[in-house]
Amino acid sequence: MADAYDRGRPGFPEPAAQWLIGRDAAQVLELGAGTGKLTASLVAQGHDVVATDPDEAMLEVLASRVPGARPMLAAAESLPVADRSQDVVVAAQSFHWFDHDQALPEIARVLKPGGVLAVVWNHRDARIPWVRRLGDLIGTQNQLTDPTEVLGASGLFESPTSKSFKNWQDINRDVLVNLVVSRSNVSTLDEVAKQAKIDEVRAFYDDFGRGYDGMQLPYVTHCFRSRVVDRGAPEGEGDQETGITSTQDGSDTEMLLIDFR
């Protein structure tokens, strides 16, 4: 599914990426980076990005399309990263998948004092009639889209600020099919049901009257930023420059970086 995800999912507008991280070069830990839809923008803006995902196939695609990032096979609930080593932890289109009881303490642990947790989602702009029709066809997943309540309940983060941006994805028939196939509610169908859904999507595209050159699918990109609550210096902090936890003999432990090159 990694290739379909990369071909079918939208990217994120540059102003949104700048708002999430800030303009100054930062040490960024990305969670659930997938195939690097946001990662590419962050690296292009000059940030040092460690891009994590629990799916090795996703990271292989990310490594090939964003060679400037440092891929790491890891889940948000267990981060092999040193205490207080990251300026920003960011999650694009992935925060709703986390076990927040485990992930939020980990995120708070690895952030520097004053560090920021940034989360972002792309949502189709359903105010437009044909986009609503598409949503009716492929389904609209019921998922967390605002982290305010979860962050407040944790006691680890301040109340978030938010900002929204408009975004458009250039699509044609093939891109639309890949978008649908990459969705979890479709990818888990049996082959007969999945093919039936694909045929429906192709028919929808054809009925809409657009040719191979395609059209633009409108999105609203919702961004949130929340500062970590300072809880005092922990014991046994690791290397604050690299974020790699080191043993007394100087060997690097716990951080698993995968060099697909």
Side-chain angles (χ1 to χ4, degrees):
M1 209 178 75
D3 288 334
Y5 188 100
D6 192 53
R7 291 191 296 264
R9 295 300 182 100
F12 297 87
E14 293 297 320
Q18 290 180 351
W19 187 87
L20 286 165
I21 310 300
R23 294 185 179 274
D24 294 336
Q27 178 62 53
V28 179
L29 178 66
E30 185 178 3
L31 308 181
T35 62
K37 289 293 182 176
L38 178 64
T39 320
S41 294
L42 301 183
V43 170
Q45 291 174 11
H47 303 299
D48 182 8
V49 183
V50 175
T52 73
D53 199 277
D55 189 311
E56 189 168 347
M58 291 283 195
L59 285 180
E60 287 177 350
V61 176
L62 183 151
S64 65
R65 70 189 300 268
V66 194
R70 294 188 284 160
M72 180 199 294
L73 190 66
E77 295 79 9
S78 180
L79 298 172
V81 179
D83 296 347
R84 297 186 164 209
S85 60
Q86 307 299 312
D87 297 305
V88 180
V89 173
V90 63
Q93 216 72 22
S94 60
F95 185 78
H96 54 280
W97 290 112
F98 302 164
D99 180 335
H100 299 115
D101 288 340
Q102 296 184 45
L104 290 179
E106 276 289 89
I107 294 168
R109 177 183 65 79
V110 303
L111 280 170
K112 295 177 182 178
V116 169
L117 168 61
V119 297
V120 55
W121 287 275
N122 278 322
H123 296 290
R124 293 187 306 274
D125 192 346
R127 296 173 298 178
I128 299 172
W130 77 266
V131 179
R132 286 200 302 272
R133 288 175 53 203
L134 176 63
D136 292 339
L137 176 62
I138 67 178
T140 300
Q141 294 167 304
N142 184 19
Q143 63 187 35
L144 176 72
T145 57
D146 184 336
T148 302
E149 184 175 346
V150 170
L151 295 179
S154 74
L156 298 172
F157 296 89
E158 298 176 359
S159 180
T161 57
S162 63
K163 190 170 184 177
S164 296
F165 301 83
K166 291 183 178 180
N167 190 19
W168 289 267
Q169 179 189 16
D170 292 325
I171 64 170
N172 56 31
R173 184 184 293 105
D174 293 337
V175 172
L176 186 57
V177 168
N178 279 293
L179 170 64
V180 174
V181 169
S182 72
R183 292 167 58 84
S184 58
N185 62 314
V186 175
S187 66
T188 54
L189 296 173
D190 62 56
E191 288 305 314
V192 173
K194 185 186 299 182
Q195 187 58 53
K197 182 60 66 177
I198 291 172
D199 291 342
E200 283 186 278
V201 170
R202 286 175 174 152
F204 168 84
Y205 184 91
D206 294 340
D207 289 344
F208 195 70
R210 298 302 176 101
Y212 182 79
D213 289 340
M215 54 190 177
Q216 287 190 319
L217 180 56
Y219 286 86
V220 179
T221 302
H222 297 291
C223 304
F224 301 84
R225 285 171 49 96
S226 179
R227 291 196 180 277
V228 66
V229 174
D230 189 6
R231 295 179 296 163
E235 296 181 1
E237 294 186 79
D239 184 335
Q240 302 305 303
E241 294 297 322
T242 65
I244 299 175
T245 303
S246 300
T247 57
Q248 291 183 346
D249 62 5
S251 61
D252 296 330
T253 62
E254 295 190 15
M255 175 177 273
L256 175 62
L257 287 173
I258 301 177
D259 186 354
F260 290 102
R261 292 167 291 180

